[in-house]
Amino acid sequence: MFRFIFDRDTWQEIWGSISKNKVRTVITVIGVLWGIFVYIALSGAAKGMDNGFEKEFKDIANNSMFVWIQRTSMPYKGFKIGRSFNLRLNDVEVLKQKHPEIQFIAPRNVKGVFGDAPPTVVRGLKSGTYTIFGDYPDIDRIARKKIYDGGRFLNDLDIQHERKVAVIGERVQKELFDIDEDPVGKYIRLNDIYFQVIGVYEYDNQGGFEDDSTIFIPFSTYQKVYAMGDIVGWMAIAAFPEVDIVALEKNIKQTIKRLHDVHPDDERAVGAFNLGEMFGKIIGFARGMNLLSLIVGLATIIAGVIAIGNILLISVKERTKELGIRRALGATPREVRAQILLESVFLTVVAGLLGIIAGVGVLAMINAMLPEDGGFPYTNPTVPIPYVIGAMLIMVILGTLIGLIPAQRAVSIRPIDALREE
Amino acid sequence: MIEIKNLHKSYRMGSNSLHVLKGINFSVKEGELVAIMGSSGSGKSTLLNILGMLDGYDSGEYTLDGVLIKNLNETKAANYRNKFLGFIFQSFNLINYKSAWENVALPLYYQKVNRKDRRQKAIKYLEVVGLKPWADHLPSELSGGQKQRVAIARAMAAEPKVLLADEPTGALDSKTSYEVMDLIQQINDEGKTILVVTHEEDIAEMCKRVVHLKDGVIVEDRVVNQVRASQYV
């Protein structure tokens, strides 16, 4: 059998039989070609979408959330309904201790977002109104900012020494500085206080409160400038990757409620936006798409292979006489069977390869046609090699199995009956 | 060369069986050219199928070149057919998508002869039947007589012990029939054993011996004065 497969004559026979029956061959090939094409195109597109989402969110810790305070909706411990209160810096320490699942926690304050007017920032004759954030360096671990060369983000020493330093957005740079000017080391004036610019961050549209007209200053400095005391506007919290973020959100809320004498059943007092949950949904969606494309693709391949078997079965009937002649001239049943089987496998593999090429071509075309950063989550659509190899294996195995049916049929025809048929 | 003793064969047709060959005794020596005659239903095609190992038989004995041919499995039958027998059919039975030489070379393919030798041999036998210039033509581009000559070349290519011809002239006009018979006679002249099934008297007269079948038994077995086909060509 081994020698048979690698015999040039065997392939010449097979090539002769499939190349001389062009219509049959083409129709057969199209069946499998279409199957593998759909499989490759679908799973590649799903992968592209997966990659796209991943790229969109690569700068934000996936397992993270924001927590803030709203008004209470239940009376408790003598406090009346609708009470307003604030998160405090102490809460941060308590939360860190009580919930070891927290990887990073960054208390934040902001001026110019929630209803109040953004403060004016002046440099020489130029000025503008910008959103001011008071932040800890840890925020950079939760929502990464890309700082242009020569600059840096806030660090612990800035907090410790309440340094008057600022990280500015691209639009701030454009409006307050000349085009060729390097803003790092220069000063801007906020609330009659001069801040030294230590970095410019790259604008990346991720949603959230931060855009390109934002200025980050150390949390401690912000406290002083705006006389905040230990009030915290809201907190960004990132958990370790394997933590159940939804459960953590619940627990953190309970802790905060206990710290601030809020009724444990009060659903409204503490607000939160759970990025982890959102990510989970999106990733789940992408995975679902992946699985769906896998199933649809495989089903189409199977349909294609069955079509091959079907057509070969018909062609065996058509070729009854030919096979009878071959048997009369000395072809053994084994040789006839092997020939039909190899025809099936050969057609399947060739069609599969063509389908893979077509599928990859279409994926490349889609990729080339989409704009570089079009806001559409679709990047680098590829099909993992194991998927391709798996598909090929499935095709060869199915091609063999399905080829067995016509092969067996071909053998079961007695040469005398085949030749009698006029 | 061929030795048949008390051969019986019946076909089962539903509940009743049809006794086709009722004890055939018959032998053919090397170099003979035998015509098997009979009306349709006489059993002549069945006999040829058994001789050609395309069909089995119920009882009796069939020996070909000293080998007992009985209860062969398909693989063994295929090997024997390939080694011992060359077939010539009424409807030529060429493979229509293969060129003339590829058709002739097909039995050699199943003898595992390599491609170069196959082609060489096929061309040689096409030359014998006078069709060398048509070696690369498809059967659809050949006339009936040419097709039969290709089939004869194919039957000879494997250099078998016996050629079996089933109504070789049945689909041809008389002129072409004589040309084909002339060729068969020439091959026989070189010592090849040939059996021809026919129901045409003039074709039978061109053989050296005529065996007449009727209702499954041999009713006549005579040596004839061979009429050379070349005189009509």
Side-chain angles (χ1 to χ4, degrees):
Chain A
M1 196 67 200
F2 190 76
R3 228 205 70 202
F4 182 75
I5 288 177
F6 290 97
D7 191 358
R8 189 162 150 243
D9 286 334
T10 308
W11 292 102
Q12 255 154 1
E13 266 313 294
I14 287 167
W15 179 248
S17 123
I18 62 176
S19 65
K20 302 280 168 55
N21 298 287
K22 288 199 180 63
V23 176
R24 168 171 72 94
T25 305
V26 166
I27 292 173
T28 316
V29 162
I30 285 173
V32 167
L33 191 150
W34 181 247
I36 190 98
F37 168 75
V38 166
Y39 169 78
I40 293 287
L42 269 182
S43 54
K47 182 71 187 165
M49 211 150 128
D50 209 20
N51 287 346
F53 281 130
E54 212 157 89
K55 189 183 161 204
E56 290 286 294
F57 302 128
K58 70 174 188 298
D59 295 331
I60 301 179
N62 291 355
N63 226 9
S64 64
M65 65 176 113
F66 299 108
V67 179
W68 62 91
I69 295 303
Q70 297 161 162
R71 282 171 191 277
T72 61
S73 63
M74 288 168 111
Y76 191 59
K77 284 192 179 172
F79 292 111
K80 63 176 182 181
I81 192 168
R83 175 172 64 101
S84 181
F85 60 97
N86 284 308
L87 288 170
R88 303 278 168 175
L89 265 181
N90 285 348
D91 301 346
V92 174
E93 288 311 312
V94 176
L95 284 174
K96 246 195 237 175
Q97 267 170 25
K98 289 207 72 158
H99 302 289
E101 303 97 319
I102 294 174
Q103 189 178 18
F104 302 113
I105 181 163
R108 311 187 75 184
N109 273 319
V110 70
K111 207 94 195 155
V113 173
F114 303 115
D116 49 1
T120 305
V121 177
V122 183
R123 178 171 183 267
L125 296 173
K126 295 172 176 174
S127 72
T129 56
Y130 305 106
T131 315
I132 311 294
F133 279 83
D135 261 315
Y136 275 91
D138 269 354
I139 192 64
D140 193 42
R141 300 238 172 87
I142 298 167
R144 177 158 297 282
K145 287 188 181 37
K146 212 170 156 200
I147 307 286
Y148 280 111
D149 285 350
R152 64 169 177 88
F153 196 66
L154 305 170
N155 63 23
D156 290 334
L157 286 174
D158 296 333
I159 301 284
Q160 212 178 315
H161 298 300
E162 298 164 12
R163 281 180 183 157
K164 290 171 287 212
V165 291
V167 176
I168 64 174
E170 279 180 278
R171 206 168 91 203
V172 182
Q173 177 192 12
K174 218 178 283 168
E175 288 175 2
L176 296 185
F177 294 87
D178 295 331
I179 292 172
D180 300 330
E181 206 177 358
D182 182 10
V184 175
K186 307 279 166 34
Y187 289 88
I188 55 176
R189 198 176 82 217
L190 165 67
N191 258 20
D192 287 334
I193 301 163
Y194 283 92
F195 282 81
Q196 188 176 29
V197 175
I198 53 170
V200 180
Y201 69 86
E202 194 182 329
Y203 175 59
D204 188 4
N205 184 18
Q206 292 178 352
F209 314 123
E210 299 130 43
D211 55 18
D212 55 345
S213 60
T214 297
I215 297 174
F216 295 93
I217 62 174
F219 191 87
S220 49
T221 318
Y222 187 100
Q223 280 179 308
K224 283 272 162 65
V225 171
Y226 292 105
M228 295 299 287
D230 61 351
I231 289 174
V232 171
W234 79 99
M235 299 178 195
I237 298 170
F240 286 100
E242 64 277 8
V243 172
D244 176 3
I245 194 76
V246 179
L248 182 62
E249 175 191 331
K250 228 181 195 164
N251 296 340
I252 285 176
K253 278 180 172 173
Q254 285 309 325
T255 308
I256 291 171
K257 284 183 212 168
R258 213 166 34 245
L259 285 170
H260 293 276
D261 296 323
V262 178
H263 194 290
D265 296 336
D266 192 334
E267 290 296 329
R268 210 147 354 122
V270 185
F273 179 74
N274 198 326
L275 276 171
E277 206 183 338
M278 293 291 156
F279 280 125
K281 277 179 186 161
I282 288 167
I283 285 165
F285 171 71
R287 275 210 194 116
M289 287 288 291
N290 240 330
L291 189 71
L292 186 76
S293 67
L294 208 68
I295 291 169
V296 170
L298 286 182
T300 325
I301 290 178
I302 291 170
V305 173
I306 289 173
I308 283 198
N310 207 350
I311 289 166
L312 278 179
L313 203 57
I314 295 168
S315 90
V316 162
K317 218 172 158 55
E318 237 171 47
R319 290 164 67 192
T320 300
K321 196 164 172 193
E322 178 202 324
L323 296 171
I325 297 167
R326 286 175 182 274
R327 295 280 291 278
L329 295 181
T332 60
R334 192 198 169 110
E335 282 168 321
V336 171
R337 191 185 294 126
Q339 185 182 347
I340 302 288
L341 214 60
L342 275 182
E343 275 181 35
S344 166
V345 172
F346 180 72
L347 283 178
T348 316
V349 168
V350 167
L353 287 175
L354 287 176
I356 288 172
I357 291 167
V360 169
V362 164
L363 287 179
M365 221 164 71
I366 293 174
N367 204 31
M369 265 163 27
L370 282 176
E372 192 68 23
D373 199 16
F376 185 72
Y378 192 84
T379 315
N380 193 22
T382 52
V383 185
I385 294 292
Y387 280 31
V388 177
I389 292 171
M392 285 304 280
L393 269 180
I394 287 173
M395 283 192 316
V396 170
I397 291 167
L398 284 181
T400 310
L401 288 179
I402 214 80
L404 276 176
I405 301 170
Q408 204 47 50
R409 163 69 79 79
V411 170
S412 70
I413 300 168
R414 295 168 65 220
I416 175 171
D417 295 330
L419 290 173
R420 197 179 283 152
E421 214 168 287
E422 293 298 320
Chain B
M1 181 59 66
I2 292 175
E3 204 73 51
I4 286 180
K5 280 185 199 146
N6 200 23
L7 192 78
H8 284 265
K9 170 75 180 176
S10 49
Y11 286 112
R12 220 166 283 282
M13 303 284 221
S15 55
N16 46 346
S17 79
L18 186 65
H19 204 171
V20 184
L21 297 181
K22 301 163 182 169
I24 304 276
N25 288 291
F26 167 60
S27 69
V28 178
K29 283 190 275 301
E30 192 165 355
E32 278 198 276
L33 176 54
V34 184
I36 298 172
M37 290 195 71
S39 53
S40 61
S42 62
K44 61 182 195 302
S45 288
T46 306
L47 180 60
L48 193 77
N49 285 333
I50 292 170
L51 288 172
M53 294 178 237
L54 294 169
D55 209 349
Y57 53 93
D58 300 332
S59 65
E61 236 172 53
Y62 166 28
T63 319
L64 175 62
D65 198 31
V67 181
L68 178 67
I69 308 296
K70 192 162 195 180
N71 299 331
L72 299 177
N73 65 29
E74 284 287 354
T75 306
K76 200 139 201 176
N79 288 334
Y80 281 170
R81 276 199 293 271
N82 189 254
K83 208 160 78 182
F84 289 140
L85 301 170
F87 288 93
I88 301 161
F89 301 95
Q90 178 178 2
S91 52
F92 323 129
N93 281 346
L94 300 176
I95 291 174
N96 55 24
Y97 62 80
K98 285 181 176 290
S99 68
W101 84 260
E102 284 171 327
N103 265 290
V104 174
L106 200 57
L108 299 170
Y109 168 71
Y110 291 114
Q111 282 182 350
K112 318 273 186 282
V113 176
N114 72 45
R115 188 174 169 87
K116 216 179 118 202
D117 293 349
R118 284 210 305 273
R119 189 181 157 87
Q120 212 171 9
K121 239 177 177 171
I123 298 289
K124 185 182 121 193
Y125 281 101
L126 278 174
E127 200 168 12
V128 169
V129 301
L131 286 177
K132 195 182 172 193
W134 280 269
D136 290 316
H137 286 239
L138 291 175
S140 56
E141 297 162 343
L142 301 174
S143 72
Q146 286 172 323
K147 281 185 205 171
Q148 196 58 296
R149 273 145 72 193
V150 171
I152 291 169
R154 180 177 67 184
M156 292 194 304
E159 283 159 7
K161 306 273 184 208
V162 177
L163 286 187
L164 297 175
D166 186 7
E167 304 268 10
T169 60
L172 304 173
D173 60 53
S174 52
K175 186 176 174 290
T176 326
S177 295
Y178 296 143
E179 282 171 12
V180 167
M181 279 316 288
D182 182 33
L183 188 58
I184 287 176
Q185 284 177 339
Q186 284 173 33
I187 295 163
N188 176 248
D189 290 343
E190 280 155 34
K192 191 75 77 190
T193 314
I194 305 176
L195 268 70
V196 181
V197 168
T198 183
H199 61 265
E200 290 167 80
E201 204 63 54
D202 54 340
I203 298 297
E205 293 300 323
M206 289 172 182
C207 299
K208 291 173 175 168
R209 178 181 159 197
V210 176
V211 173
H212 223 108
L213 251 72
K214 196 176 180 188
D215 298 328
V217 287
I218 293 175
V219 293
E220 191 188 13
D221 188 345
R222 66 185 161 96
V223 177
V224 294
N225 236 340
Q226 190 181 34
V227 179
R228 295 301 295 192
S230 51
Q231 67 192 64
Y232 297 105
V233 178

